[in-house]
Each structure stands twice: as structure tokens, then as C-alpha cells.
Amino acid sequence: MELDLRFFATFREAVGQKELASSFENGATVGDVLGELEAEYDGLEGQLLEDGAIRPQLSVLKNGRDVVHMEGPDTDLEDGDTLSVFPPVAGG
């Protein structure tokens, strides 16, 4: 299946681009995709998952909706979905 992946801030720097289309196995979950991204991009290694869970303070959106309000890393993905990954944001 084809997914549209979008990266922001430091994650964009790690991947080298803001957006890319990538193929994954049918039936892949958010956790599967994040794990593959960590393995593929050195700058993402250990930044997305922690013991199989999405790292705290990280925002991952499936089609504009935070996956924390779905099934978290077990959220199913379908062909054509958009997955957006935001690093933790600090500020005041």
C-alpha cells in the first residue's frame, strides 16, 4: 500500500524532505511504519518508538487525527492514508 508521509521540524531534517510517498505491506500499522522509518533513517533511530509505544510528547496524525485517540501504534493504515509525524514541541 502507498502512504503519504509528512515530517516536521527536526524530523524533516532527519529525513531530508518534508513529504514523501512510500510503500508498506498491506495491513501495516502506525507502529510498523514508525519502526521501519527508524530503521531506514539514522536521524530517526530511537526517536519515534519506545518499547513498542509511540514516544511521549510525540504527535502522530493519521489523516489529520491524532492516533492516540485511535489505537495508538496499533492503528491500522490503508492505502492512500497520510501519516504526519511531529517531534515534541517546547515553548512558552
Side-chain angles (χ1 to χ4, degrees):
M1 77 177 142
E2 287 286 320
L3 298 177
D4 182 28
L5 305 174
R6 296 181 183 171
F7 304 94
F8 297 86
T10 56
F11 292 161
R12 181 183 302 166
E13 294 170 17
V15 173
Q17 54 192 336
K18 177 181 180 176
E19 192 171 329
L20 64 97
S22 193
S23 295
F24 296 92
E25 292 285 326
N26 286 335
T29 65
V30 168
D32 295 334
V33 170
L34 295 180
E36 287 188 38
L37 290 171
E38 283 188 331
E40 185 172 345
Y41 297 98
D42 291 338
L44 295 181
E45 186 177 356
Q47 299 297 308
L48 306 177
L49 296 171
E50 185 175 289
D51 297 323
I54 297 171
R55 289 186 62 85
Q57 309 303 317
L58 193 69
S59 294
V60 179
L61 308 181
K62 173 188 169 186
N63 301 327
R65 190 164 169 233
D66 198 325
V67 298
V68 78
H69 301 297
M70 297 177 183
E71 300 293 325
D74 296 326
T75 301
D76 290 323
L77 295 168
E78 298 175 10
D79 189 51
D81 280 346
T82 298
L83 197 65
S84 303
V85 184
F86 297 83
V89 179

